[in-house]
Amino acid sequence: MTVLESIVAGVREDLDRRRARVPLSELEAALDDLRPTLDPMPHFRGGDLSVIAEVKRRSPSKGDLADIQDPAALAHSYAEGGAAAISVLTEERRFGGSLADLDAVRARVGIPVLRKDFMVDEYQFLEARVHGADLVLLIVASLTDAELTRFLGLASDLGLTPLVEVHTEEEVDRALASGAELIGVNNRDLKTLDVDLANFGRLAARIGDGVVRVAESGIFTPADAAKVRDEGADAILVGEALVRHGDPERAVAALASAAR
């Protein structure tokens, strides 16, 4: 079993427990009272490098990263630094996240919020919407073509913007065939956890200029941000470098300004 397969297995078990506590009908009933979602795409297409700043406590590869007592305060610092969106890890077992973190961040910031999780079931999309997400992550490696197409449609129906994540050329082709308009290149192989920052440059040209391209993982310095911007990135998703930085507001600003 790969690391990704192991994570998804745990996600499904945790999902079953949440579904037993909160039935789908309860989530559906809550949809009518929700505010409209925020569209991140105009900012991502705006010409400058957008920073998606992540609230991330730990990871399967590095273990504990930061003791984040107040995710809302951290997200506020990111926004003050010029982040275009906030990514919130909600996977519990390997990343230490929760839907409570998503609730807290949504209540504090006025910019788009991404639910960062392993989305494998329709129930999770309603959860994301009810808990205030504007974007959701779809990992091509964990989905069949039929699931990817169905989830893209479901996200659209709910007003959620899907960030479709790829790692290989074959996954790029699948994402493009599905009609994805926002594609993230993960420089970390989720099956081995190895990181190669050059992966973005290899895949960016294959994605093409008509799609918003996001560089994910392995970005730690302004020089890294400038590198992927020169290779075609419209946005970067950064977690570890920010949560370990003593001044997250300044760190976000430095990443964004480095590529202007």
Side-chain angles (χ1 to χ4, degrees):
M1 181 180 290
T2 67
V3 175
L4 177 59
E5 289 169 339
S6 175
I7 292 173
V8 169
V11 164
R12 290 188 182 279
E13 290 179 9
D14 294 337
L15 171 59
D16 287 341
R17 282 195 288 271
R18 294 197 306 276
R19 185 157 32 205
R21 293 195 303 268
V22 182
L24 181 64
S25 59
E26 187 172 325
L27 293 177
E28 291 173 333
L31 292 176
D32 292 337
D33 298 324
L34 300 178
R35 61 156 183 83
T37 53
L38 302 175
D39 183 1
M41 295 298 275
H43 197 294
F44 291 166
R45 295 186 186 276
D48 289 332
L49 185 71
S50 298
V51 177
I52 305 170
E54 191 156 83
V55 176
K56 184 178 185 179
R57 289 187 171 85
R58 64 175 183 259
S59 74
S61 61
K62 298 289 185 68
D64 291 336
L65 298 174
D67 181 17
I68 302 173
Q69 296 292 328
D70 190 345
L74 177 60
H76 177 72
S77 294
Y78 288 159
E80 290 295 295
I86 307 296
S87 171
V88 181
L89 262 302
T90 59
E91 195 279 334
E92 302 172 33
R93 300 187 183 203
R94 300 294 189 98
F95 293 89
S98 69
L99 288 168
D101 287 348
L102 185 60
D103 290 333
V105 170
R106 172 72 288 156
R108 185 68 183 275
V109 301
I111 59 177
V113 176
L114 164 68
R115 181 187 183 180
K116 183 86 173 292
D117 210 319
F118 298 78
M119 308 295 282
V120 293
D121 190 281
E122 287 85 350
Y123 182 92
Q124 294 169 289
F125 290 79
L126 273 74
E127 276 186 325
R129 184 70 179 89
V130 168
H131 287 271
D134 304 288
L135 303 94
V136 288
L137 183 71
L138 301 181
I139 301 174
V140 173
S142 66
L143 302 171
T144 66
D145 288 341
E147 288 171 331
L148 180 58
T149 299
R150 185 168 77 254
F151 289 164
L152 284 169
L154 177 58
S156 177
D157 290 344
L158 292 170
L160 297 166
T161 299
L163 170 58
V164 180
E165 182 177 288
V166 301
H167 179 74
T168 66
E169 291 183 351
E170 184 264 342
E171 290 173 8
V172 168
D173 293 343
R174 291 177 59 202
L176 292 173
S178 74
E181 298 180 359
L182 177 64
I183 295 181
V185 174
N186 197 340
N187 296 308
R188 184 183 303 280
D189 185 338
L190 291 179
K191 296 178 181 178
T192 66
L193 300 184
D194 294 333
V195 176
D196 179 8
L197 186 58
N199 196 47
F200 178 82
R202 285 193 291 266
L203 299 185
R206 193 176 188 92
I207 294 172
D209 295 330
V211 173
V212 173
R213 296 174 292 200
V214 183
E216 306 173 12
S217 299
I219 300 168
F220 293 94
T221 67
D224 294 336
K227 177 181 185 298
V228 295
R229 181 69 180 101
D230 290 344
E231 293 170 339
D234 301 292
I236 53 175
L237 194 156
V238 185
E240 180 181 343
L242 298 179
V243 299
R244 286 183 160 177
H245 196 284
D247 188 341
E249 179 179 335
R250 184 163 60 87
V252 169
L255 289 172
S257 63
R260 291 196 181 116

